Amino acid sequence: MTRPLFETTLDMGVERKVAQAYAKHYHLKPHKKPAQALYDYDMVSAISDRVIIRIEIKGRKPQYRNLIEQNGYMLSAKKFKALQLLHGEIPVALVVVFMGSPDMYSFSFSPHKVQDVSFAIGGRTKKKRDDRDVEEVAYIPWKHFVKLEGRND
């Protein structure tokens, strides 16, 4: 059964702006993937249209970093493992932005960066939308994220 799409028009607008800023930073072109795809955008070469990197974009309110993500960025373990497998074909990056901040944080699924990722049961535990909101999650240490400055909304 397909899970309902919880992404809002505002979420998609933020994703689009982040994808454009990321593409500009690396001189690439963003190509949006269909709804409910494993990741959000293919970033392609401006010259050859070859996919250079795939990115998953996550927008967060600033308080989440201090409240629930002290041990690292929290991502569904299922998504983490799927993106990690996909990284073997073409590089995959997770891009996190905090609303109201001009900065982006990028994580590459390189093998040496995934060794100290921890797993636990978690997720959306307070305002559950459905039974799948509580699941195994991965905590990616913040030290593995690279700060990309200057996103302009």
Side-chain angles (χ1 to χ4, degrees):
M1 180 173 87
T2 304
R3 188 172 189 194
L5 184 62
F6 293 110
E7 201 168 42
T8 67
T9 303
L10 178 62
D11 295 334
M12 289 184 272
V14 168
E15 277 185 6
R16 186 176 56 258
K17 288 178 181 178
V18 170
Q20 290 168 345
Y22 186 94
K24 183 178 179 182
H25 185 85
Y26 288 108
H27 308 288
L28 300 169
K29 295 187 303 187
H31 285 232
K32 176 74 173 129
K33 299 298 287 181
Q36 296 189 331
L38 178 59
Y39 59 96
D40 297 313
Y41 281 84
D42 282 324
M43 292 290 160
V44 302
S45 166
I47 299 167
S48 68
D49 278 343
R50 183 174 65 92
V51 176
I52 303 298
I53 191 165
R54 298 164 171 159
I55 66 169
E56 170 68 5
I57 300 169
K58 296 292 185 184
R60 289 289 189 261
K61 294 177 181 170
Q63 64 265 31
Y64 287 127
R65 184 168 183 172
N66 296 326
L67 288 175
I68 61 173
E69 296 181 341
Q70 294 172 358
N71 296 326
Y73 180 77
M74 182 179 64
L75 182 68
S76 157
K78 183 177 178 182
K79 179 162 272 205
F80 177 87
K81 292 171 185 176
L83 291 172
Q84 186 180 3
L85 284 173
L86 194 59
H87 182 80
E89 301 168 19
I90 292 177
V92 177
L94 171 65
V95 179
V96 177
V97 295
F98 292 98
M99 308 309 180
S101 169
D103 302 324
M104 297 180 286
Y105 297 85
S106 179
F107 168 77
S108 169
F109 283 80
S110 302
H112 69 282
K113 290 187 177 181
V114 299
Q115 292 175 0
D116 57 349
V117 170
S118 61
F119 295 89
I121 299 298
R124 184 185 290 266
T125 57
K126 296 198 179 190
K127 294 182 181 177
K128 287 175 36 175
R129 301 167 298 191
D130 64 20
D131 289 342
R132 296 186 208 171
D133 272 348
V134 177
E135 62 181 330
E136 183 182 26
V137 295
Y139 284 98
I140 305 166
W142 286 110
K143 68 183 180 184
H144 294 313
F145 283 82
V146 174
K147 184 177 180 179
L148 308 175
E149 297 181 15
R151 178 175 63 97
N152 296 316
D153 288 345

